[in-house]
Amino acid sequence: MKDESVTAQVESSRLHPSSFILHPSALIPKLRRALRGEVDARAFALETLRRGRASIARRRERSSLKHLDERPARLSPEYERLSPADLLEHFRRRAAPKFPPGFDVSNRERVARLQREHFPRETAQLLARASLIANDHRWSLLGYPEKCFGEKINWLRDPLSGADWPLDYHCDIPLARGDGSDARVLWELNRLGHLITLGRAYALTDSEDFAAEFFAQVMGWHEQNPTGLGPNWACAMEVALRAMNLLVAFELFRHSPLLDEERLAALLKLFAHHGEHIRRNLEFSYISTSNHYLSDVVGLFWLGLMLPELREARAWREFGLREMLREMDKQILPDGADFEASTGYHRFVLELFLYSFIAARANGVEIEERYRQRLRAMLEYVRAVVRPDGRAPLIGDTDSGQVLPIRQRAGDDHAYLLALGAALFDEPRFKAQHGPMPEELLWLMGEEGVRDYQRVESWKEGIASQAFIDAGTYVMRENDLYLLFNASGNGLGGRGSHGHNDALSLEVSACGRSFIIDPGTYVYTSDLRERHLFRSTRYHSTVEVDGVEQNTTSAPVPFVIGDEAHPRVVRWEAAPQRDHLVAEHDGYARLQEPITHRRAVEFFKLERYWALEDTLTGEGEHVFHFRYHFAAALDVSVGADAVVRACDKITGARLLVVAPDDAEPASLEPRYASRDYGAKHPTIAACWTRRAHAPLVTRWLLVPVCTGEDESARLELARKRN
C-alpha cells in the first residue's frame, strides 16, 4: 500500500482512528495526499462526501455514548411483547435459526460422540485447555506463550506491556503507544475466541463450571467495556469478530440452567450494541476496501442471521450478505487469490467466506453458484501453494488471525481448510494430504460433513506446477520438490498495506523439508524496527541494490508501503520435464542510475534441480546483495568450494546453493523468521556481495540432495547441464 493512499489511512486507523475526524476544510487536502494510483474523479468525490458525513456521524456518536450504552436491546415487535420469562423460554426452545451443524445444540450428543471417536487426543487437549481457562484464567494468544490473566480478568490491560488502556472515546485512542504495547494482541484477547473452547468443552461434558465461567467472563467484559469507549471498540472489524465468537459460544451454552432472564437480557443488549456499533463505524472507502470492511459486513450478516429476535436483524442480514458478495467480487482475484498480496490474509478471508457460506446453507439462504465457484477457486489457491510438508509460505503479512478459532492454528497452518472444501465440493483433490481429518470439519459441517469427507476418495496423483497470473504467484512442483516464485505486487491494486518487499523472491522445499523461506511477519506496532526488518528486501531471498528497498517504506508507519517495483512476468512455461519462468521489477528505477532486476528460473524435473539467472540492467557502479534466507534448524555452512550447504541436522538432507565461479564466498548473516504472530526463531541468510558495474549477470544452481544420494554426482550433473 502507498503512503498516500486512503486505504493506508484505513489500515492506519489501527494507529490513530481520530485521523478520520476532520474539520471539513481539511478533508480535501487530506484526500489529495491520500490518493495514489488510478482513482477516478467520481470515486474521489464520493469519498470526500463520505468522509465529511463520517466526521459528522462521529461527533453525533460521541455526544450520545451514555444513551447508547444504557439502551437495552431493541427487539422486533413479535418478541418485544414477550415477558422476560417467556423470552428466556423461547431462547431455550428455539429450533431456528441453525448454526453450523457442529455448534447447533440439537446435534450436541452426536457431535460429542464423534469428537471423542475421531479425535481422542485432541479431546483430552480440549478439556485440559478449557479447565485452564475456567480455573486459572490461563490461555495463549497468537504465537505468545501461555499467560495467566489474573483472578479478575482486566480486559483493558495490555498482555505485553502490562499497561492499562484508557476508556476514552474509541476514535480518540492512539493505538501505537510506543511502550511495547500491541493493539493486535489486546484485540486478540478481546475477540473472546477462547470462549468457543469453553463452549465445546461444555458440549462434551455438561459441566456447569464451564457455563459459569462463560457467563462470568462475558458479564465482566460488558461491565469493563462501555459501548463506544476504549480500544476494544476502536476497530469495527474487532467488534464483528468478537460478535461472531460470542454468537457461537452463546449457542453452545444456550441450554445451560445458568442462563436466566437477567443474563439473557445482558447478552441481547451486548449483541445489539455490537451490531449497531459496526453499522455506525463501517470501515468502508470508495477508493478501496480490505479484509476490515469484509469482516464488518460478515459480522453483521451473522448477527442478523442468528438473532432474528433483534429489531435490526433483517436489515443487518440483507446488508451483510449483499456487501459480503460484493466484496468477494472486489477482493478475490479471478485466479482465486485474495488481493492483499498475503497468504496469511488469504486464509483469514477464506475462513470468512467459507464459514459464512456454510451458515447460509444451514439456513436456506441462497448464494449464486458463481460465488460458490469463486470460493472453490480460493481453495484451489491454498492447495497449490501449500508446501509438501503441509505448511503454507507466509508471503506478505500474517497476524495469525482466525475466524471462529475452533482450535488455535499457527499462522502457516492452512491445509485444514482443504478438508472442508473436500466435503463441501465433493472434491478428491482437496482431500487432506497432510495429516488426519481436522476438528473444524466436525464442528462446522457436523456428522454429515464427516461422512461426506470420508466418502471422498483420496487424490492419488501429485500436484502439478501452477501459475496464478493475477496474484503473481508461480509454483514449480514435482513430487517432493517445490519452488514458489513471488511476482506479486504490494496488494490492493497498488494501495496495499500487507505486502512486503519481496519481489522475485523464492521459497524452496525438497526431500520432505523446507530450505529457503519467507521470514513471515513477527509483530506490527509493538516493535516498529522489527516490523520493518521482517518486511524489508534484505530479509527476503532476492536481490538488494545499494541498500535501497524495492518499495519505499516509512519507519513510523507500519502499514504503508510504496508501489515502485511493479513486478511482471515476461515468460512462463510449464512442461512435463521442465518449467521456465522469467520476471522482472522496476523497484530500483528510482536510483540516480536506475537498475532493472530480471530473474529467470528453470526447473529441471528429471534431474531434480533449479537454475537461476539474475540480470541487473542499467549503468554505473552499484553494490549488489544476493541473498537466500534459510529455514530454522538447518546447519548452514560455506564450503571450501564456495558452495553454501543448508543441511537438515536429523536426516542429512541438504540444499546446495552454487554461486557463479567468479563470486566471492558468501557471508552468513543472522536472521529471524516467524511462523506465528509474536513468535520468532533464529535463522541464517547467505549473502553474496558484489560491487560491480551494470549490466551484471549472475547464475545460480539450487541442488537438493536427499538422504542417501551422492552429493558429488548431483552437483556434477547440475553443473554439466549449466
Side-chain angles (χ1 to χ4, degrees):
M1 171 162 58
K2 302 180 181 181
D3 59 340
E4 296 176 354
S5 73
V6 166
T7 306
Q9 304 220 15
V10 172
E11 291 292 340
S12 293
S13 68
R14 303 173 179 176
L15 303 181
H16 204 307
S18 61
S19 63
F20 288 105
I21 302 179
L22 303 173
H23 189 277
S25 64
L27 280 170
I28 299 296
K30 185 96 172 181
L31 270 171
R32 291 192 187 281
R33 291 195 301 272
L35 297 174
R36 286 177 73 175
E38 296 183 4
V39 178
D40 61 40
R42 182 175 182 272
F44 177 87
L46 288 171
E47 182 62 17
T48 302
L49 291 172
R50 186 199 68 80
R51 289 168 71 93
R53 289 194 299 267
S55 180
I56 296 170
R58 298 288 167 84
R59 290 197 292 271
R60 185 182 305 120
E61 181 187 51
R62 182 197 299 267
S63 66
S64 59
L65 281 179
K66 189 174 187 298
H67 167 71
L68 293 173
D69 183 59
E70 293 175 348
R71 186 168 66 191
R74 294 181 292 182
L75 302 179
S76 60
E78 63 183 295
Y79 295 104
E80 68 179 355
R81 293 191 297 266
L82 297 179
S83 69
D86 288 340
L87 187 64
L88 176 62
E89 187 65 17
H90 160 75
F91 271 95
R92 289 194 187 283
R93 294 180 175 275
R94 74 174 193 172
K98 293 290 187 181
F99 277 74
F103 295 118
D104 197 291
V105 293
S106 64
N107 299 325
R108 65 182 301 166
E109 290 185 6
R110 290 191 296 274
V111 170
R113 174 179 56 80
L114 290 170
Q115 171 72 33
R116 296 182 185 278
E117 176 184 332
H118 290 286
F119 309 103
R121 179 175 61 86
E122 292 86 350
T123 299
Q125 293 172 345
L126 166 65
L127 297 179
R129 288 195 303 271
S131 294
L132 283 175
I133 293 170
N135 299 326
D136 300 339
H137 289 171
R138 179 180 294 276
W139 63 91
S140 60
L141 300 173
L142 307 171
Y144 292 95
E146 201 172 78
K147 180 179 176 61
C148 177
F149 295 97
E151 183 176 352
K152 181 179 180 180
I153 301 172
N154 185 340
W155 299 104
L156 296 167
R157 179 160 295 154
D158 189 86
L160 297 186
S161 68
D164 290 339
W165 289 73
L167 274 179
D168 298 334
Y169 176 56
H170 68 90
C171 282
D172 290 345
I173 298 176
L175 299 175
R177 295 158 59 102
D179 62 357
S181 300
D182 190 335
R184 174 65 187 92
V185 184
L186 178 76
W187 286 341
E188 183 68 20
L189 171 66
N190 285 273
R191 286 184 185 181
L192 306 182
H194 65 284
L195 297 183
I196 295 178
T197 300
L198 283 180
R200 292 174 62 215
Y202 180 69
L204 295 178
T205 65
D206 287 323
S207 171
E208 292 303 324
D209 289 343
F210 294 134
E213 184 63 25
F214 166 75
F215 289 115
Q217 287 199 24
V218 174
M219 297 305 124
W221 190 95
H222 198 180
E223 179 184 347
Q224 293 180 33
N225 291 272
T227 301
L229 294 178
N232 296 320
W233 298 96
C235 176
M237 170 185 180
E238 298 301 322
V239 180
L241 295 173
R242 179 168 58 248
M244 292 174 67
N245 291 334
L246 280 170
L247 280 168
V248 167
F250 175 53
E251 173 67 9
L252 292 170
F253 288 109
R254 182 162 56 89
H255 283 184
S256 168
L258 296 180
L259 177 63
D260 56 21
E261 297 170 12
E262 183 179 353
R263 285 171 172 159
L264 176 60
L267 279 164
L268 291 176
K269 175 181 175 180
L270 188 60
F271 284 125
H273 287 191
H274 274 60
E276 291 163 0
H277 183 87
I278 296 166
R279 196 65 179 89
R280 287 194 304 270
N281 294 277
L282 289 169
E283 295 163 283
F284 176 80
S285 164
Y286 284 101
I287 307 303
S288 184
T289 50
S290 71
N291 68 85
H292 275 237
Y293 180 66
L294 175 62
S295 299
D296 300 347
V297 298
V298 166
L300 286 173
F301 172 67
W302 277 72
L303 283 164
L305 182 67
M306 301 305 180
L307 285 174
E309 296 83 0
L310 296 180
R311 184 182 301 177
E312 302 298 325
R314 180 175 180 179
W316 291 345
R317 182 179 69 249
E318 293 177 353
F319 173 80
L321 177 62
R322 182 176 69 249
E323 289 299 294
M324 176 177 68
L325 297 178
R326 283 181 178 174
E327 290 305 303
M328 193 175 217
D329 283 332
K330 291 163 58 176
Q331 297 193 27
I332 306 307
L333 300 171
D335 58 19
D338 178 64
F339 76 156
E340 292 196 68
S342 158
T343 53
Y345 281 95
H346 180 92
R347 181 185 80 168
F348 177 74
V349 168
L350 173 55
E351 286 183 333
L352 285 169
F353 286 125
L354 179 59
Y355 299 173
S356 297
F357 280 32
I358 291 171
R361 185 177 70 166
N363 289 280
V365 177
E366 293 188 9
I367 293 178
E368 290 182 49
E369 179 62 21
R370 69 185 182 95
Y371 291 112
R372 282 176 44 85
Q373 292 308 312
R374 185 152 287 196
L375 181 69
R376 183 181 183 129
M378 295 184 73
L379 290 160
E380 293 280 5
Y381 183 78
V382 172
R383 177 179 180 267
V385 302
V386 165
R387 300 189 303 249
D389 66 359
R391 297 288 175 165
L394 294 179
I395 307 301
D397 277 348
T398 181
D399 68 358
S400 300
Q402 292 179 254
V403 180
L404 303 180
I406 294 166
R407 59 172 297 180
Q408 190 171 338
R409 298 277 183 179
D412 64 350
D413 188 354
H414 298 189
Y416 64 95
L417 292 168
L418 295 175
L420 279 73
L424 187 64
F425 291 101
D426 189 24
E427 177 51 76
R429 293 182 311 109
F430 294 158
K431 189 80 179 260
Q433 301 179 13
H434 310 297
M437 179 172 64
E439 291 175 90
E440 286 87 352
L441 180 69
L442 170 62
W443 289 87
L444 286 161
M445 301 188 71
E447 185 177 18
E448 182 180 357
V450 170
R451 287 199 304 266
D452 289 343
Y453 177 80
Q454 291 173 329
R455 281 197 296 264
V456 175
E457 294 184 8
S458 294
W459 186 251
K460 304 298 183 184
E461 301 178 23
I463 303 176
S465 298
Q466 197 165 350
F468 294 87
I469 298 172
D470 303 295
T473 304
Y474 294 77
V475 185
M476 299 178 172
R477 305 185 74 136
E478 182 73 10
N479 299 322
D480 66 309
L481 300 182
Y482 168 103
L483 182 147
L484 183 142
F485 187 94
N486 186 5
S488 63
N490 63 7
L492 281 169
R495 290 184 289 271
S497 60
H498 292 303
H500 288 188
N501 279 321
D502 52 11
L504 315 193
S505 64
L506 308 169
E507 280 242 0
V508 176
S509 295
C511 310
R513 78 107 67 217
S514 182
F515 283 102
I516 296 175
I517 61 164
D518 188 287
T521 299
Y522 182 42
V523 294
Y524 286 160
T525 61
S526 62
D527 189 327
L528 293 182
R529 178 182 177 277
E530 291 287 286
R531 163 63 170 159
H532 288 288
L533 274 178
F534 272 79
R535 66 175 183 160
S536 68
T537 305
R538 77 186 75 170
Y539 254 52
H540 292 85
S541 298
T542 185
V543 181
E544 180 188 43
V545 181
D546 295 340
V548 173
E549 294 287 356
Q550 294 173 337
N551 298 287
T552 53
T553 58
S554 174
V557 189
F559 297 105
V560 168
I561 188 168
D563 185 31
E564 291 85 16
H566 301 128
R568 56 197 171 275
V569 171
V570 177
R571 181 179 181 184
W572 164 253
E573 297 175 357
Q577 297 185 4
R578 172 178 165 274
D579 295 341
H580 187 203
L581 172 69
V582 181
E584 61 186 18
H585 77 83
D586 295 328
Y588 302 120
R590 67 188 190 279
L591 296 175
Q592 186 172 356
E593 294 179 296
I595 291 290
T596 296
H597 177 203
R598 172 174 287 202
R599 172 167 277 183
V601 182
E602 286 190 273
F603 179 25
F604 297 94
K605 299 179 181 179
L606 299 181
E607 295 83 1
R608 294 176 53 83
Y609 74 91
W610 293 272
L612 277 66
E613 181 177 274
D614 286 312
T615 302
L616 295 135
T617 305
E619 297 180 349
E621 185 179 68
H622 300 270
V623 177
F624 302 100
H625 295 289
F626 303 84
R627 290 189 178 92
Y628 295 93
H629 191 151
F630 293 106
L634 291 171
D635 185 4
V636 182
S637 61
V638 183
D641 55 1
V643 173
V644 171
R645 290 169 172 81
C647 182
D648 186 294
K649 298 176 182 179
I650 298 175
T651 67
R654 52 204 175 278
L655 180 73
L656 313 180
V657 181
V658 185
D661 292 337
D662 60 346
E664 294 291 327
S667 60
L668 300 183
E669 301 176 340
R671 288 285 186 275
Y672 285 94
S674 172
R675 59 186 290 260
D676 218 1
Y677 189 90
K680 66 177 181 178
H681 46 266
T683 56
I684 293 291
C687 178
W688 287 262
T689 300
R690 296 192 67 171
R691 180 179 292 274
H693 282 82
L696 175 68
V697 178
T698 59
R699 296 180 177 86
W700 313 82
L701 299 175
L702 304 179
V703 184
V705 182
C706 296
T707 306
E709 289 188 311
D710 186 313
E711 178 184 299
S712 298
R714 297 280 296 119
L715 197 53
E716 181 180 355
L717 172 65
R719 279 175 162 159
K720 187 175 182 180
R721 280 292 301 266
N722 289 272

